[in-house]
Amino acid sequence: MRNIKLVLQFDGTAYHGWQMQKNAPTVQETVSGAIERITGSVPQLTGVSRTDAGVHAKSFVCNFKTNASIPSERIPAALNTYLPPDIVCLFAEDAEDSFNARFSAKKKCYTYYILNSKQPDAFLRNYSWHFPYELDISKMKKAAKAFLGKHDFVGFAASGFTVKTTVREIYSLDIEKEGNLVKITVTGDGFLYNMVRIIAGTLAFVGCGKIEPESMAEIIASKDRKRAGVTAEPQGLFLTEVFY
Amino acid sequence: MRNIKLVLQFDGTAYHGWQMQKNAPTVQETVSGAIERITGSVPQLTGVSRTDAGVHAKSFVCNFKTNASIPSERIPAALNTYLPPDIVCLFAEDAEDSFNARFSAKKKCYTYYILNSKQPDAFLRNYSWHFPYELDISKMKKAAKAFLGKHDFVGFAASGFTVKTTVREIYSLDIEKEGNLVKITVTGDGFLYNMVRIIAGTLAFVGCGKIEPESMAEIIASKDRKRAGVTAEPQGLFLTEVFY
């Protein structure tokens, strides 16, 4: 049986995340339906991660097994014929038998956008978190350094998760300002449930003076969710790259 | 009576244009409703131009008369409380009695975005025209020069308009490529119905080799709608600035 790897892009605004759910439209369900149209059978579709409602992906990887004979280079255009315009298949290839979009992932990169302006923006409403209090970027950059490396991030996870370990390694955490958009880019070996959004919310609290950058290392070490900042809104989050 | 000038930004995706219509949501109707909430009476709201369904504005000017006492600097935040998130009031001021958003406009700038890529883009679907055939930007730039200056643009107007004259002056028409986005920026003293979209569609025809750049001046002079290109899709069009 062939093992097809797909790279998708999706605007998550209209979906209740990736993962199949009863009574709510999800990206997984929509993509499965399009795959069924081109292969003739319902796929077992494995995604790199669950995503929350409203979260976006510039590059989301998934895989499925099939006996269909369609050449992989023709799959993107074929799928895009059946996909709604807010989900696009960018790339497809025949992967090795052992490839699993979720378990083979070595590294992921997420980007979080904060709109730091007094008034909201009609075009960014679904793609950023509107934060009206002035953010001090240099303080945020200082605090960001404390996240680098291997830490137990249990204080930066929403409850309700089931994972073997809450230790994760963060390779980079960069903050840039472009106009009134603050762009937070984070790369790591994996992320706990809501972890990137809690990091973004905590960095916003640092930027507006509610948390001192010097106390960041201690807050991480405390493993206490209450000491971190708020969970930033979902629509500012983009999965931007997955490394295998 | 005070004469209030407003600068709005709106994502036109969900609206049937600016102008009030029966049985269809419009920007004018939505903004009028928000003004009524803060002033207590239904305004006579004049917009700089009608816009088509799906067309956007980064800077749309309108004005209305009122006896309400709210300071103009407090109007944007007050209106934004009642406006849906796809319409934002950016600025308000007390204008001179004679100011009329439509008739006082001296110059307008529009931007049109063409996504020139094989596959569509989930994030640009409502903000660009997806054109999959390769565009030759240098040919488009060459053709653009023929539009500059005063011409009778009747061949670049949709039928159904009623205007005194179809002569308009174009001050600048620039074409840039940023990644796979082709950005057409045009400034003029005014534009006929669908004129910017027909210019964009014609330039796309030049870019893909259907029309020779050398014949552009002659096509304009022919005043024949059939010789120009298609009317580019509405969602690529943004009103970006109005000059008074």
Side-chain angles (χ1 to χ4, degrees):
Chain A
M1 236 180 169
R2 297 166 69 195
N3 186 13
I4 307 289
K5 172 187 172 186
L6 300 180
V7 182
L8 308 173
Q9 177 200 58
F10 62 81
D11 178 334
T13 307
Y15 299 95
H16 287 252
W18 165 260
Q19 193 98 340
M20 207 84 90
Q21 280 179 32
K22 274 185 191 158
N23 308 321
T26 66
V27 180
Q28 187 181 31
E29 177 193 349
T30 309
V31 175
S32 290
I35 292 171
E36 191 187 348
R37 297 288 291 269
I38 67 163
T39 65
S41 58
V42 180
Q44 277 283 13
L45 191 58
T46 304
V48 55
S49 62
R50 311 168 66 109
T51 58
D52 286 329
V55 169
H56 315 288
K58 295 261 181 181
S59 182
F60 185 97
V61 180
C62 56
N63 73 295
F64 66 98
K65 307 273 170 109
T66 184
N67 286 317
S69 60
I70 179 169
S72 59
E73 63 274 20
R74 282 178 43 200
I75 292 178
L79 281 180
N80 292 336
T81 308
Y82 298 112
L83 286 170
D86 51 5
I87 304 177
V88 173
C89 178
L90 299 172
F91 177 77
E93 69 177 1
D94 279 88
E96 307 221 332
D97 261 11
S98 61
F99 176 79
N100 178 295
R102 181 170 171 205
F103 296 111
S104 308
K106 296 254 183 308
K107 211 166 100 175
K108 284 178 221 170
C109 177
Y110 284 92
T111 307
Y112 194 93
Y113 291 94
I114 302 176
L115 174 67
N116 190 29
S117 63
K118 243 177 121 172
Q119 301 296 352
D121 185 293
F123 298 100
L124 298 173
R125 70 193 191 284
N126 294 326
Y127 310 110
S128 65
W129 177 32
H130 180 220
F131 194 86
Y133 312 102
E134 206 180 328
L135 292 173
D136 182 330
I137 304 298
S138 65
K139 280 189 178 177
M140 292 171 75
K141 285 186 176 181
K142 208 168 167 184
K145 287 183 190 148
F147 289 91
L148 301 179
K150 228 175 217 178
H151 300 276
D152 184 342
F153 284 107
V154 68
F156 284 77
S159 56
F161 56 86
T162 45
V163 284
K164 276 184 225 150
T165 166
T166 48
V167 173
R168 293 290 182 276
E169 183 166 1
I170 292 192
Y171 305 119
S172 67
L173 178 48
D174 300 316
I175 299 160
E176 292 165 83
K177 192 162 182 184
E178 297 165 359
N180 47 24
L181 259 192
V182 178
K183 182 180 167 187
I184 299 171
T185 308
V186 59
T187 308
D189 60 356
F191 295 89
L192 303 171
Y193 185 44
N194 278 358
M195 181 169 155
V196 181
R197 289 168 55 192
I198 299 171
I199 292 175
T202 303
L203 288 174
F205 272 23
V206 171
C208 71
K210 277 194 156 187
I211 292 177
E212 284 309 312
E214 293 74 15
S215 57
M216 206 66 253
E218 204 255 300
I219 289 172
I220 296 169
S222 78
K223 302 181 194 173
D224 182 357
R225 173 68 190 89
K226 291 191 289 297
R227 297 203 50 202
V230 290
T231 304
E233 294 178 1
Q235 76 279 2
L237 185 61
F238 291 73
L239 172 58
T240 38
E241 205 169 348
V242 187
F243 301 86
Y244 288 97
Chain B
M1 233 180 171
R2 296 166 68 194
N3 185 14
I4 307 288
K5 173 186 172 186
L6 299 179
V7 182
L8 308 174
Q9 178 199 57
F10 62 81
D11 178 333
T13 307
Y15 299 95
H16 288 252
W18 164 260
Q19 194 97 340
M20 207 84 90
Q21 281 178 31
K22 273 185 190 156
N23 308 321
T26 66
V27 180
Q28 186 182 30
E29 178 192 348
T30 310
V31 175
S32 289
I35 292 171
E36 190 186 349
R37 298 288 290 269
I38 67 163
T39 65
S41 58
V42 180
Q44 276 285 13
L45 190 58
T46 304
V48 56
S49 63
R50 310 166 68 108
T51 59
D52 286 330
V55 169
H56 314 288
K58 294 262 180 179
S59 181
F60 184 98
V61 180
C62 56
N63 74 294
F64 65 98
K65 307 275 169 107
T66 185
N67 284 317
S69 60
I70 180 171
S72 59
E73 64 273 20
R74 281 177 45 200
I75 291 177
L79 281 181
N80 291 336
T81 309
Y82 297 111
L83 285 169
D86 52 5
I87 304 177
V88 173
C89 179
L90 300 172
F91 177 76
E93 68 177 1
D94 281 88
E96 306 222 332
D97 261 10
S98 61
F99 176 79
N100 178 295
R102 182 170 170 206
F103 296 111
S104 308
K106 296 255 182 308
K107 212 165 101 176
K108 285 178 219 170
C109 177
Y110 282 91
T111 307
Y112 193 94
Y113 291 95
I114 302 177
L115 174 67
N116 190 29
S117 63
K118 243 175 120 173
Q119 302 296 353
D121 185 294
F123 298 100
L124 297 174
R125 70 194 190 284
N126 294 327
Y127 310 111
S128 65
W129 177 31
H130 179 220
F131 193 87
Y133 312 102
E134 205 180 329
L135 293 173
D136 181 330
I137 303 299
S138 65
K139 280 190 179 178
M140 293 171 74
K141 285 187 175 181
K142 209 168 164 184
K145 287 182 190 149
F147 288 91
L148 301 179
K150 228 176 217 176
H151 300 278
D152 184 341
F153 283 108
V154 68
F156 284 78
S159 55
F161 55 86
T162 45
V163 284
K164 276 185 225 147
T165 166
T166 49
V167 173
R168 294 290 183 274
E169 183 166 1
I170 293 193
Y171 304 120
S172 67
L173 177 49
D174 299 318
I175 299 160
E176 292 165 83
K177 192 162 182 182
E178 297 165 358
N180 47 24
L181 260 193
V182 178
K183 183 180 167 188
I184 300 170
T185 309
V186 57
T187 309
D189 60 356
F191 295 90
L192 303 171
Y193 185 44
N194 277 358
M195 181 169 155
V196 181
R197 288 167 56 191
I198 299 172
I199 292 176
T202 303
L203 289 173
F205 272 24
V206 170
C208 70
K210 278 195 158 187
I211 293 177
E212 286 308 312
E214 293 75 16
S215 57
M216 206 66 253
E218 205 254 300
I219 289 172
I220 296 169
S222 77
K223 303 181 194 173
D224 182 358
R225 174 69 190 87
K226 290 190 291 293
R227 298 202 51 200
V230 290
T231 304
E233 294 179 1
Q235 76 280 1
L237 185 61
F238 291 73
L239 171 59
T240 38
E241 205 169 348
V242 187
F243 301 87
Y244 289 96

